[in-house]
Amino acid sequence: MAVAENNGTGRRASPRFLKVLVKILKTLGSVLITMLGLMFVTFLIGRVMPVDPVLSVVGERAGKDVYDAAYRAMGLDKPILVQFGYYLWDVLHGDFGISLLNARPVAEDIKRVFPATMELATLGTFFGVFIGVPLGVVAAVKRGSWIDQVARVVALVGYSMPIFWLGLMGLLIFYGILGWVGGPGRLDIFYEDLIPTRTGMVLVDSLLAGDWTVFKNALSHIILPASILGYYAMAYISRMTRSFMLEQLSAEYITTARVKGLPERTVIWRHAFGNIKVQLITVIALSYANLLEGAVLTETIFSWPGIGQYITTALLSADMNAVLGGTVVVGLIFVLLNIFSDLLYQVFDPRAK
Amino acid sequence: MSQTDTRKPTLREWLLTDTPTSRFHARMAALYNGWLTLRSNTMAMIGLGILLFLLLIAAFAPWIAPMDPLAQDLGGRLAPPGTDGHILGTDSLGRDILSRLIYGSRITLYIVTLVAIIAPGVGLLVGTVSGYIGGWTDAILMRITDIFLAFPRLVLALAFVAALGAGIENAVLAISITAWPPYARIARAETLTIRNSDYISAVKLQGARPLRIITKHIWPLCISSLIVRVTLDMAGVILAAAGLGFLGLGAQPPSPEWGAMIAEGRRFILDSWWVATMPGLAIFTVSLAFNLLGDGLRDVLDPKEGGS
């Protein structure tokens, strides 16, 4: 499509640039609205909960005047939109309230636990990309062969398996029976606090400290949860790669390239694969966002002190500030990754009109 | 091609005709053709078979289950599979795991059915209204849809259940709230293509009101793409429900919900592997069945989407 549009003569170049700019501004506008809506939804969730927020602060025994004072101090006598304004103001200033569980600011807690999740999701995405992309390409090239069938089954199983159960089975087999990997947690207990915390990601920190034994121990702990997350990423990425590749391989320019006598490897990897790179990057960004979600259950299984475990522990102790703070943060990152992949596509792929 | 012989056609011929004689006839013929395509897809038939089997198990649970799913026997706790007639073993309270799985299928079907009605229903309503009316209504409804799409589903469901309180109904509600936006998108897209077609103009000229047009003329055409999406989504719904159950936010003990059973077996995973393994296999089988059937249905109902 859009063949005539892209005749990049000098005269047309600047309107195209303007068009991209307008598109970016539009996207940013809708992002802002989406984020606002996201925070409004979390705010409302916080309001419909059956727990009385005032009581949880002042306690059951407080007198009526204390209760009323706290009620007003929390702004609960104001209209709901004004309350939302206050909430927004706080969130924009990085204030998610105080955790009821440990009386620390929720924002600080989230900052502390987030690197653990990032470490896990990043490593998982690496696995997903390094196995998923080649698998998808081969499945598309050898369509209908046994390897295509295997790829299909692998993906189907990935879509159908409860991630927390797979985690448990992994622990049972690789930790309990075979003893190949470390158990739950990020480090064995006697390695903890041996290295200074810089990034909060144990693998990186131990490398920075140059401590190989800690690094090895951390690796043995992260390898299982990361490969389980990676399996889900791989299922998704390989399927998408396959369908992108099939689309390219059936195009006429591929036939031309083959007729010209180019080696098959060049046709596949330079021509066809070269054309799906942008699409692939958007898929990878989306799969990274999905891994953040998958991390919630995986972290619970592996006692991984990340944001997923933070949210679920908070849930079970009805610590609503912590739950909502975690939800907003994960939601915002999710939106940002989506937008990022969308923008990337808009800017680098001329086919996206 | 027309048939010249006058004998009465067999049912099969009647269904395979090129020249249907009534609306009912045409509909049945289309259904039968779809069924023939679906039947040739082995994987989809396996999926359908598993689901029918599950339906039978759920319906006849009291007669099939060898024991009472709630009956405790602390003397025979954590018995490995095969002991004393416990085919799949017992859990930490000595309850028969097979019986609990059989009764648990009812809970799974209950959740799946409710979500399969609520989420596409809401999505259909929002999507068709949004697409048909257009303008500001469309802009606002689609913004709201986008906002819900922007959340990671499980995290949003967690937050909802946390606010509403744990329990099966609230889990269903939370999953539905997170599941409707894609249906709204699909229904809106279908509506936009249908809205300007000639037959809608014809109905309009006959004096039909928007409500009638939407419910009688647009909804029926959205159904097939929604069905495909529902079937493919059900695997995700089962996994989400099991996830909520696993976190203790879905069905409450002693209810034999599969996710909650895994959570219970988690503590004994290294010594008594069967307690957590069996319900996981059940969840896996059922969601795999939905995925297989969904893939097959997609090829039948929505050929343009089909991958192969």
Side-chain angles (χ1 to χ4, degrees), chain A residues 149 152-153 156, chain B residues 38-50 288-289 291-296:
Chain A
Q149 300 297 337
R152 190 187 142 101
V153 170
L156 252 179
Chain B
L38 187 66
R39 209 179 55 181
S40 64
N41 185 333
T42 324
M43 283 299 154
M45 290 322 283
I46 293 177
L48 186 65
I50 295 175
L288 183 68
N291 272 329
L292 291 175
L293 181 64
D295 272 351

Side-chain angles (χ1 to χ4, degrees), chain A residues 26-140:
Chain A
K26 259 191 188 164
T27 320
L28 283 182
S30 77
V31 175
L32 278 183
I33 297 178
T34 310
M35 287 187 170
L36 219 61
L38 195 134
M39 283 191 260
F40 191 60
V41 172
T42 23
F43 167 76
L44 282 185
I45 295 177
R47 282 292 168 273
V48 299
M49 65 176 187
V51 185
D52 185 339
V54 182
L55 268 190
S56 61
V57 171
V58 298
E60 302 251 340
R61 303 244 198 95
K64 188 166 183 334
D65 45 334
V66 179
Y67 182 92
D68 286 345
Y71 187 78
R72 273 193 300 278
M74 293 170 77
L76 292 173
D77 52 340
K78 305 269 188 340
I80 196 115
L81 276 178
V82 176
Q83 290 187 35
F84 177 57
Y86 286 142
Y87 174 75
L88 211 59
W89 183 257
D90 286 346
V91 169
L92 288 181
H93 288 78
D95 180 4
F96 293 105
I98 304 289
S99 159
L100 300 177
L101 203 60
N102 56 17
R104 271 202 305 253
V106 170
E108 259 176 41
D109 279 347
I110 291 180
K111 222 184 284 169
R112 199 189 61 243
V113 298
F114 196 73
T117 301
M118 229 173 85
E119 191 175 27
L120 196 58
T122 310
L123 201 59
T125 306
F126 269 127
F127 286 153
V129 172
F130 282 115
I131 304 173
V133 170
L135 189 65
V137 171
V138 174

Side-chain angles (χ1 to χ4, degrees), chain A residues 30 33-34 37-38 41-42 45 48-50 143 152 156-157 159-162 164-165 168-169 171-172 175-176 242 246 293 296-297 300-303 311-312 315-316 320 323-324 327 330-331 334-335 338, chain B residues 43 143 146-156 158-160 162-165 235 239 242-243 246-249 259 262 266 269-270 273 276-281 283-284 287-288 291-292 295 307-308:
Chain A
S30 77
I33 297 178
T34 310
L38 195 134
V41 172
T42 23
I45 295 177
V48 299
M49 65 176 187
R143 189 176 168 189
R152 190 187 142 101
L156 252 179
V157 169
Y159 286 143
S160 312
M161 195 114 68
F164 52 97
W165 182 69
L168 274 179
M169 293 299 114
L171 267 183
L172 169 66
Y175 171 66
R242 177 179 181 273
L246 280 180
E293 192 180 4
V296 172
L297 287 165
T300 314
I301 292 288
F302 288 93
S303 309
I311 294 179
T312 46
L315 266 179
L316 296 178
M320 221 43 203
V323 174
L324 294 183
T327 310
V330 175
F334 205 76
V335 173
N338 270 296
Chain B
M43 283 299 154
R143 263 303 111 212
D146 280 350
I147 290 167
F148 277 91
L149 272 179
F151 271 105
R153 280 172 68 169
L154 183 70
V155 176
L156 182 62
L158 283 181
F160 267 112
L164 299 170
L239 296 185
F246 175 75
L247 291 172
L249 298 169
I262 298 182
R266 183 186 166 194
I269 184 73
L270 294 181
W273 55 270
T277 306
M278 300 306 174
L281 283 177
I283 298 173
F284 171 60
S287 60
L288 183 68
N291 272 329
L292 291 175
D295 272 351
S308 42

Side-chain angles (χ1 to χ4, degrees), chain A residues 34 96 130 166 191 197 236 267 327 350:
Chain A
T34 310
F96 293 105
F130 282 115
L166 192 61
Y191 287 113
T197 306
Y236 176 59
V267 174
T327 310

Side-chain angles (χ1 to χ4, degrees), chain B residues 125-141:
Chain B
L125 194 68
V126 172
T128 46
V129 166
S130 176
Y132 190 76
I133 296 180
W136 276 103
T137 321
D138 184 34
I140 293 173
L141 285 178

Side-chain angles (χ1 to χ4, degrees), chain B residues 17-36:
Chain B
T17 177
D18 290 331
T19 49
T21 50
S22 68
R23 214 189 260 195
F24 174 74
H25 189 176
R27 197 169 289 168
M28 286 302 122
L31 268 182
Y32 186 67
N33 269 318
W35 164 248
L36 286 184

